[in-house]
Amino acid sequence: MNAEEILSKMSIKEKLMLTSGLDFWHLVSNEEKGVPSIMVTDGPHGLRKKEGPGMGIGDAVPSTAFPTASCSACSWDKELLHEMGKAMGEECVQEKVSVILGPGVNMKRSPLCGRNFEYFSEDPVLAGEMAAALINGVQETGVGTSLKHFAVNNQETFRMTGSSNLDERTLREYYLQPFEIAVKKSQPMTIMTAYNKINNVPSSGNSHILTDILRNEWGFKGVALTDWGGGHCHYEDLNGGLDLEMPGNKQLYLKETLKAYEAGKISEETINRAALNVLKLIEKTEFVLNSDYKYNVEEHHAVAKKVALGSIVLLKNSKNILPLNNDVKPLIIGEMAEKPRYQGAGSSHLNPQKLDTFLSSLDAAGITYDYEKGYESANVKDESFIDAAVAKVDKSQPVILFIGLTDDYESEGSDRLTMAMPETHIKLAEKVLEKSDNVVIVLSAGSPVELPFEAKATTILDAYLSGEAGASALVDIIYGKVSPSGKLAETWPLSINDVQCSETYALKERNQVNYREGFFAGYRYYNSAKMNVQYPFGYGLSYTTFGYSNLKVKGNKVSVDVTNTGKVDGAEVVQLYVANKTKASIFAENELRNFEKVFLKAGETKTVTMELSDRDFQFYSVEKNAYVTAKGEYEVQIGASSRDIKLTATVTKDGEEINELEKFAGSWFETFNGKPTDDDMRLLGVEPIYEKAPRKGDYTLENTALDVKEKGFGKFFFGIMQLAVRAALGIKKSEADQIQNKMMIDSAINISFRGMSAMSNGIMKLWLASFIVKCCNGFSKPSKKEEK
Ligand code: BGC
């Protein structure tokens, strides 16, 4: 097909039809014009292709479950992510899927975000680079990707109705930067807009980010599509820069958009842009429909294992218990050794091809062991297995203890309330550690957890959610076949109270989320505020040691010699930070600018060379509305973590004389006392937004079932909604609390009436949604907002 030629022969109506999906996972076809219907589906850590209609999370065709983003980011290995992407793309080709919905590069503003396992990092450079490598790998196979969720989507609570409110510098330097890197380095075929608004403007039609920044500044050439049910008024979205609304909804907006066209509210040029972008996507990726390619399941399992091997982080090995000797029989405790937690819940949840467990991997390696389950993941409150496990502990026998977060703790659609592990896991760990220090703790969780027993532990490995082959990778690491080389892609704070937004995150604030801390999130905050943390960003141990020497900065090239000074082979992540020492404005203590993972044989030295761009020395001046270089000194730092700086060099830049610092005197940004306030936020040049909870009489299509649940018809409707979702998905009342089910129910009650309509596959027409809103408002008093 030839996209341009086809477009030239299409009517406005035909073009508009292309800008809305066909069903949950397909784009609209036009047989007469020779346009086939292609499939787009989740993502992002492997293919979740659902058999049959609907959105449900089950029944996916088997595919390789690669480590989740929070895990694979710890590899800091672009080649590895590229290889993983290529394998994912190959699975799409086999399954005739044109676009895989991922990767996700949202920043981890708080460790509590229920979806953090789907995101790479708290650092924009690391997240952007990992995403670019993955996208390039996928797209090398001809299949497209969808970089998501654009943008500032950092919590699940009120995810479909919330607004992330922040200043332009924070937006650009922190929350948009991973998208910018990925777009510029890999040109993803599509980008998915976020559910949330930004400063009260819906992401789906936000011309500032979609048109001014994404297309005009960064040169994005692909399709901007909505998150599922995340569209708003369709013609306004198209005007803002959107091309495609998903999922399909039997052309819910066609009439309205045609009318808008006739009334001059949307131009033919805009419709052409959107339709042509969609046609070009189909043109590029339709080849999958005729492909009979088959991928090799074993080879992809090996790729998943390789990623896990490069990503697992050794957090502590103070008595050098690791690696274990395989002629000593270990005692394995923890049901996760038998039933691994290897992926997260929600739209990324897939059906693995081949699942390794730790026990089966020990069997395969010929290692004998004793085993006690210690807890049951299905009933995490049941303490009855702890004592039997602890009774078996004897100092002379090494214990490998599996603990972490069970499925119920982390999911798309809801945020964690605390950073704690299940009580049973903590008690088990404490009791085991009381009896022995010969204990290797293996953590499985999508994000950081508090470790109240850390001081007593000698040995901790963090497996994150390491995919279908994570367990066999763990055996190789624990028994020293491979030296661990993962480094944390996010800080592990000591406690949730230490997080800069802990007092407001997903708790007190409803739909309006004010980013008072600006860009001081993650290590940008902890390092600047000199806080103690459990483990810093960029940290991770190895079975060997590394020496750094000979730092040279020549123009924008930085080189350093790294030597493996230990007795075994290993890999080191060399991290390049820049500290802005000028007094031009507020700056974080240091910020990652580049990194390289280097494999070194015992005794070997290599010179690692990295580039710094001009942008790496700039900041976004809100006053000048541009990136600027401030005149003065900068420190170039080479670190083994963000807090373990090995070598530094000072660089002087002949930039502009800027003074934006004075206004911050005495503020939180200078003292880091307590938590940032509204006044601190104002100093960044933006006003915090407050909004009263919506009340009967004022409801609009943008409200949710949750908003209207208090009284009258709204209360009735709220009940009906839950019943309807359960009935549609076949969920029994007793199963409503299971995590996947809970997510579906929570999503339904949190989606706006407009979104409900968009997700109903044409069943709930917009007029019906408006009628329900009217009923919720009470007929006697029509909605004031609607009247306007
Ligand atoms: C999620 C997206 C996902 C889509 C399709 C949405 O609810 O936010 O990340 O790709 O569903 O499953």
Side-chain angles (χ1 to χ4, degrees):
M1 66 179 269
N2 179 322
E4 260 121 17
E5 202 182 310
I6 292 174
L7 184 84
S8 68
K9 295 184 183 143
M10 280 185 152
S11 65
I12 286 287
K13 184 174 165 193
E14 283 175 311
K15 290 178 199 173
L16 274 179
M17 285 178 73
L18 286 173
T19 69
S20 255
L22 173 70
D23 59 24
F24 256 93
W25 308 116
H26 294 90
L27 269 53
V28 159
S29 62
N30 186 326
E31 276 172 32
E32 196 198 310
K33 301 271 169 14
V35 180
S37 172
I38 58 164
M39 181 171 204
V40 303
T41 192
D42 290 302
H45 319 118
L47 179 65
R48 181 175 74 92
K49 181 186 175 190
K50 176 136 169 34
E51 299 272 47
M55 190 178 191
I57 302 294
D59 321 325
V61 298
S63 63
T64 308
F66 294 95
T68 60
S70 63
C71 178
S72 64
C74 296
S75 74
W76 297 59
D77 189 335
K78 294 168 229 175
E79 276 171 34
L80 204 52
L81 270 281
H82 186 276
E83 196 175 339
M84 170 172 151
K86 189 158 173 276
M88 278 164 47
E90 287 166 356
E91 302 203 6
C92 292
V93 178
Q94 171 177 311
E95 295 301 333
K96 304 191 188 311
V97 168
S98 288
V99 176
I100 184 160
L101 303 173
V105 289
N106 295 104
M107 291 289 89
K108 301 181 193 215
R109 181 173 177 242
S110 160
L112 297 185
C113 174
R115 220 172 169 181
N116 272 356
F117 64 86
E118 275 190 70
Y119 301 138
F120 289 111
S121 178
E122 69 185 20
D123 180 83
V125 171
L126 180 56
E129 291 288 348
M130 293 286 101
L134 186 96
I135 292 168
N136 282 327
V138 175
Q139 294 196 169
E140 213 171 274
T141 67
V143 165
T145 51
S146 197
L147 185 65
K148 63 191 187 184
H149 306 93
F150 193 56
V152 211
N153 180 211
N154 311 107
Q155 66 178 54
E156 291 300 279
T157 311
F158 299 115
R159 70 169 171 158
M160 289 177 165
T161 52
S163 174
S164 304
N165 308 321
L166 74 175
D167 63 283
E168 190 70 13
R169 177 172 175 192
T170 302
L171 175 72
R172 299 245 184 188
E173 282 185 24
Y174 193 60
Y175 292 100
L176 291 189
Q177 211 200 344
F179 291 95
E180 178 176 2
I181 293 170
V183 167
K184 288 182 175 168
K185 292 201 164 178
S186 64
Q187 196 58 251
M189 287 193 210
T190 81
I191 194 163
M192 186 189 289
T193 60
Y195 283 128
N196 53 278
K197 303 177 187 110
I198 300 171
N199 296 328
N200 258 350
V201 180
S203 297
S204 60
N206 194 316
S207 61
H208 181 49
I209 64 160
L210 286 175
T211 302
D212 303 345
I213 297 180
L214 175 68
R215 292 190 201 276
N216 297 345
E217 285 184 28
W218 302 346
F220 176 68
K221 301 270 180 294
V223 166
L225 50 85
T226 64
D227 197 345
W228 268 228
H232 291 78
C233 170
H234 191 49
Y235 69 84
E236 283 177 7
D237 284 351
L238 294 177
N239 278 336
L242 190 86
D243 301 312
L244 173 65
E245 194 227 351
M246 286 301 287
N249 51 36
K250 304 259 191 303
Q251 298 295 333
L252 179 80
Y253 290 114
L254 187 59
K255 260 194 201 159
E256 187 186 78
T257 316
L258 276 170
K259 265 197 198 158
Y261 168 68
E262 276 150 23
K265 290 184 188 164
I266 177 168
S267 67
E268 181 163 4
E269 199 191 342
T270 299
I271 298 172
N272 282 350
R273 183 217 67 224
L276 185 62
N277 283 340
V278 174
L279 283 171
K280 279 187 180 161
L281 175 69
I282 300 174
E283 183 183 14
K284 274 193 222 149
T285 61
E286 64 164 344
F287 77 95
V288 297
L289 300 173
N290 303 314
S291 161
D292 51 13
Y293 173 82
K294 291 269 170 284
Y295 69 90
N296 183 316
V297 172
E298 287 301 327
E299 274 175 25
H300 284 197
H301 187 74
V303 174
K305 178 166 175 182
K306 201 170 158 191
V307 179
L309 276 171
S311 305
I312 290 167
V313 189
L314 178 61
L315 294 174
K316 201 168 183 183
N317 196 17
S318 57
K319 288 201 151 184
N320 290 326
I321 290 176
L322 286 179
L324 290 183
N325 192 331
N326 57 7
D327 48 18
V328 189
K329 188 178 182 188
L331 167 62
I332 316 296
I333 301 179
E335 203 200 33
M336 283 174 175
E338 190 188 355
K339 296 182 182 163
R341 172 121 197 284
Y342 62 98
Q343 66 170 335
S347 58
S348 67
H349 189 95
L350 48 78
N351 182 11
Q353 283 282 13
K354 185 176 175 242
L355 183 60
D356 295 341
T357 74
F358 192 70
L359 299 187
S360 68
S361 303
L362 286 177
D363 293 338
I367 299 168
T368 53
Y369 53 86
D370 296 317
Y371 171 61
E372 277 293 329
K373 66 177 159 186
Y375 54 83
E376 278 186 339
S377 301
N379 181 4
V380 81
K381 294 214 167 90
D382 184 351
E383 296 187 4
S384 61
F385 301 95
I386 296 181
D387 289 344
V390 175
K392 289 256 178 79
V393 176
D394 171 341
K395 261 189 163 206
S396 62
Q397 184 185 27
V399 173
I400 306 178
L401 172 64
F402 284 79
I403 50 175
L405 295 178
T406 57
D407 266 333
D408 284 352
Y409 279 69
E410 287 171 296
S411 167
E412 176 181 340
S414 55
D415 296 310
R416 285 191 292 165
L417 297 176
T418 72
M419 257 178 66
M421 276 192 279
E423 276 282 299
T424 37
H425 290 224
I426 298 173
K427 276 193 186 150
L428 179 65
E430 275 169 350
K431 287 192 173 176
V432 170
L433 290 170
E434 244 164 54
K435 279 186 82 176
S436 171
D437 58 2
N438 195 4
V439 181
V440 177
I441 295 180
V442 177
L443 298 170
S444 304
S447 22
V449 288
E450 283 163 1
L451 301 173
F453 46 76
E454 208 269 354
K456 278 186 243 147
T458 60
T459 321
I460 308 178
L461 272 169
D462 183 11
Y464 270 95
L465 304 178
S466 47
E468 65 175 43
S472 55
L474 268 171
V475 171
D476 286 0
I477 285 181
I478 289 176
Y479 286 94
K481 222 167 149 186
V482 175
S483 180
S485 61
K487 299 245 184 179
L488 292 176
E490 63 189 311
T491 310
W492 279 47
L494 281 163
S495 131
I496 189 59
N497 302 326
D498 294 344
V499 179
Q500 81 292 341
C501 58
S502 63
E503 285 176 0
T504 51
Y505 184 81
L507 289 173
K508 288 192 188 140
E509 304 198 329
R510 274 183 51 91
N511 294 346
Q512 297 297 341
V513 184
N514 294 314
Y515 287 46
R516 299 180 179 83
E517 73 279 5
F519 53 87
F520 289 92
Y523 72 89
R524 281 164 170 67
Y525 167 57
Y526 303 115
N527 288 0
S528 307
K530 315 258 182 295
M531 306 257 306
N532 285 333
V533 297
Q534 190 74 72
Y535 303 115
F537 173 80
Y539 166 84
L541 302 171
S542 163
Y543 295 154
T544 187
T545 46
F546 299 96
Y548 287 76
S549 61
N550 207 12
L551 169 64
K552 286 186 193 141
V553 183
K554 278 199 192 131
N556 277 352
K557 279 216 164 33
V558 178
S559 68
V560 60
D561 292 346
V562 186
T563 305
N564 181 339
T565 48
K567 293 199 173 62
V568 293
D569 301 347
E572 172 71 324
V573 177
V574 184
Q575 302 163 38
L576 170 53
Y577 295 85
V578 169
N580 188 325
K581 301 285 184 192
T582 72
K583 301 267 180 285
S585 185
I586 44 170
F587 299 107
E589 179 74 9
N590 55 359
E591 293 184 2
L592 184 76
R593 294 293 189 236
N594 210 334
F595 59 90
E596 209 54 65
K597 189 164 191 171
V598 55
F599 292 84
L600 294 164
K601 291 199 173 306
E604 192 185 4
T605 300
K606 278 186 187 163
T607 302
V608 177
T609 306
M610 289 174 277
E611 298 249 335
L612 279 171
S613 68
D614 291 346
R615 239 311 261 290
D616 290 331
F617 294 95
Q618 296 181 325
F619 75 102
Y620 193 86
S621 161
V622 177
E623 283 169 23
K624 295 184 192 281
N625 223 350
Y627 275 98
V628 291
T629 310
K631 186 178 173 147
E633 289 193 344
Y634 297 78
E635 191 171 85
V636 173
Q637 307 175 335
I638 292 290
S641 89
S642 63
R643 287 198 170 182
D644 184 8
I645 302 302
K646 303 287 191 189
L647 299 167
T648 61
T650 300
V651 168
T652 308
K653 288 276 163 190
D654 188 19
E656 298 175 49
E657 297 275 5
I658 301 167
N659 189 355
E660 295 187 10
L661 188 61
E662 274 164 20
K663 64 178 174 205
F664 295 101
S667 74
W668 181 81
F669 300 105
E670 193 189 70
T671 65
F672 296 106
N673 278 341
K675 305 285 179 197
T677 63
D678 284 355
D679 281 341
D680 293 314
M681 184 172 171
R682 288 188 184 101
L683 294 176
L684 297 169
V686 67
E687 189 59 31
I689 303 178
Y690 286 93
E691 186 181 88
K692 283 200 180 124
R695 288 211 327 247
K696 193 174 165 188
D698 289 335
Y699 301 137
T700 71
L701 281 174
E702 306 307 327
N703 286 112
T704 66
L706 203 63
D707 290 336
V708 302
K709 75 168 190 186
E710 292 308 328
K711 286 187 202 148
F713 183 84
K715 193 172 175 184
F716 167 73
F717 181 75
F718 180 73
I720 293 283
M721 268 301 289
Q722 298 189 63
L723 282 179
V725 177
R726 290 217 305 269
L729 299 173
I731 304 169
K732 292 189 198 121
K733 196 169 179 196
S734 57
E735 294 168 353
D737 277 342
Q738 287 172 13
I739 192 80
Q740 302 280 7
N741 297 340
K742 196 171 168 300
M743 181 199 117
M744 297 307 279
I745 298 169
D746 281 357
S747 297
I749 58 178
N750 265 302
I751 193 169
S752 66
F753 289 99
R754 179 191 291 283
M756 265 178 229
S757 192
M759 296 281 273
S760 71
N761 199 18
I763 296 168
M764 190 200 261
K765 304 269 184 246
L766 262 189
W767 67 261
L768 180 58
S770 303
F771 179 72
I772 295 171
V773 172
K774 269 210 159 77
C775 296
C776 295
N777 276 326
F779 280 104
S780 53
K781 193 178 173 228
S783 158
K784 283 177 209 146
K785 281 192 192 148
E786 288 216 322
E787 272 177 289
K788 280 185 211 160

